[in-house]
Amino acid sequence: MKLSFFLSAAVFAIGGTVLATAPANAQARDRIQITGSSTVFPFTTTVAERFSQRGGRAPIVESTGTGGGMRLFCAGVGLNTPDITNASRRITQNEFNTCKTNGVDIVELQIGFDGIVLTNSKLGPKMQLTLEQLYLALAAKIPNAQGQLVDNTNRNWSDIAPNLPNVKIEVIGPPPTSGTRDSFNELGLLAGCQEHAKRRNMQIASRECQQIRADGGFIEGGENDNIIVQRLVANPTAFGIFGYSFLEENHDKVQGAVLGGYEPTVDNIQSGKWPMARSMFVYLKKNHIGTVPGLQDFFNEYASEQAMGEDGYLEKKGLVPSPAADRARFRAGVAAATSMAGL
């Protein structure tokens, strides 16, 4: 069924910002409409609140996941389509091509870094894993002793290594529409699969490496990461996958696993030591500048040092700032509304 911005919406007012869990009606509108990533969602709502406090019309911000947001954003130009989409990964070549085919002119803003983290309740065991062990826990198929890919039979963490907890493998994570899921497949499963294949001197196809098990070891938790946190608190032996900002926001309830010998910290994410660090983006539909009031001003606010810079208000929400030179480059592109020429 074709995605449309005329879908019914559940809308909530928080601090002057309109937050929506589904696209809102858009007819001769005077509000900016934003869709996309659940990971970037809290950063964008924070910018939206600042924007409205300074006299701008409160934007409507929804959470559909990166993939769902891109489909809405790239569907075409007009007030029945969103002005901005959030993405917890960079736009893909196919998405970029779809945007261009449909006449969508894009301005790209890299807002900073995030890290995908494996977390559990503070009442549960503190986990220390390698990427290889993460792959062996969550891949749909893994090599047997003869090197043949077979269904994953690891049921408890201790089945992978005796030093891991003797508790059931139960990991709650994002659905396929999520950019976090895309990034986890590449940075977690694929990287861990490659470690395993190298150690065993064998080859495994990338597609096979990134297939997540569907036998109960991995549970899709939806696009709302706060609900995953609640489920972890209720079940101390379960683990969750989401962005670092949600770990930071809920550090009194959940803890991050050590991965590859590194703790999930701002310093490790910014330096690239954290194995599942990634860039986050916001994309503006240039065609709508001058049609939707405040659109350029909102994007300028997002790109400002006070928002995404060192000690900016987004860092306090868990954003890991990009290097100063990168921030300056993207800020200049936003100020000039420079069209994205390609990937």
Side-chain angles (χ1 to χ4, degrees):
M1 183 172 66
K2 183 179 180 181
L3 290 168
S4 169
F5 232 59
F6 288 104
L7 297 175
S8 60
V11 181
F12 308 92
I14 300 179
T17 302
V18 178
L19 309 181
T21 57
N25 193 310
Q27 295 179 356
R29 54 185 171 82
D30 59 357
R31 290 181 188 266
I32 298 165
Q33 291 187 330
I34 306 169
T35 186
S37 166
S38 60
T39 301
V40 182
F41 179 84
F43 303 127
T44 299
T45 56
T46 300
V47 176
E49 288 169 5
R50 290 295 183 108
F51 178 73
S52 64
Q53 288 167 6
R54 292 171 181 165
R57 189 78 165 139
I60 296 170
V61 187
E62 58 167 353
S63 177
T64 62
T66 296
M70 283 295 182
R71 285 194 293 274
L72 288 164
F73 181 77
C74 291
V77 175
L79 295 181
N80 63 326
T81 64
D83 311 303
I84 292 171
T85 192
N86 302 319
S88 57
R89 55 161 172 78
R90 201 178 189 205
I91 189 172
T92 66
Q93 187 65 60
N94 285 341
E95 289 164 345
F96 181 82
N97 292 344
T98 299
C99 269
K100 286 304 179 185
T101 297
N102 292 330
V104 177
D105 204 358
I106 309 166
V107 180
E108 181 182 55
L109 172 62
Q110 179 182 306
I111 66 168
F113 297 105
D114 186 34
I116 300 172
V117 294
L118 181 72
T119 64
N120 67 321
S121 167
K122 284 198 165 182
L123 299 177
K126 176 71 173 180
M127 189 73 86
Q128 296 193 41
L129 287 171
T130 64
L131 287 177
E132 181 182 5
Q133 290 170 335
L134 191 61
Y135 158 73
L136 293 174
L138 296 180
K141 293 181 180 293
I142 60 175
N144 62 13
Q146 292 73 41
Q148 302 165 320
L149 284 180
V150 297
D151 290 340
N152 193 339
T153 58
N154 292 322
R155 295 291 175 258
N156 290 355
W157 290 100
S158 56
D159 293 337
I160 300 167
N163 63 312
L164 295 179
N166 186 22
V167 295
K168 179 183 176 183
I169 297 171
E170 185 177 356
V171 178
I172 307 167
T177 54
S178 169
T180 298
R181 173 75 165 264
D182 293 338
S183 298
F184 175 74
N185 286 353
E186 178 183 351
L187 301 174
L189 289 185
L190 179 57
C193 178
Q194 289 170 339
E195 283 185 7
H196 186 70
K198 182 178 180 180
R199 185 174 64 80
R200 295 188 57 181
N201 194 27
M202 60 182 297
Q203 291 187 345
I204 307 173
S206 295
R207 183 178 59 83
E208 295 286 356
C209 287
Q210 298 181 65
Q211 295 297 313
I212 294 183
R213 64 194 303 175
D215 59 357
F218 180 87
I219 302 163
E220 289 185 6
E223 293 288 359
N224 190 333
D225 292 333
N226 285 311
I227 291 178
I228 296 180
V229 172
Q230 293 169 17
R231 293 174 69 175
L232 297 182
V233 171
N235 182 2
T237 63
F239 290 80
I241 294 170
F242 43 70
Y244 171 78
S245 63
F246 285 90
L247 171 61
E248 179 74 11
E249 188 176 314
N250 297 279
H251 67 274
D252 58 325
K253 305 182 189 75
V254 295
Q255 60 188 344
V258 174
L259 196 56
Y262 292 100
E263 292 275 359
T265 65
V266 168
D267 288 344
N268 285 338
I269 293 169
Q270 191 171 43
S271 68
K273 292 177 180 177
W274 181 249
M276 293 196 292
R278 57 176 174 171
S279 299
M280 295 184 294
F281 297 85
V282 178
Y283 293 94
L284 168 70
K285 190 170 292 179
K286 183 176 179 178
N287 315 67
H288 287 189
I289 295 175
T291 300
V292 178
L295 190 54
Q296 181 68 60
D297 290 340
F298 175 80
F299 223 49
N300 288 341
E301 171 67 25
Y302 215 137
S304 68
E305 274 294 289
Q306 63 187 358
M308 66 178 208
E310 298 283 351
D311 299 320
Y313 59 77
L314 293 182
E315 186 177 19
K316 295 177 176 63
K317 294 289 291 185
L319 179 74
V320 179
S322 300
D326 290 345
R327 298 198 304 269
R329 176 168 54 87
F330 278 102
R331 184 174 304 113
V334 166
T338 302
S339 298
M340 188 177 177
L343 276 70

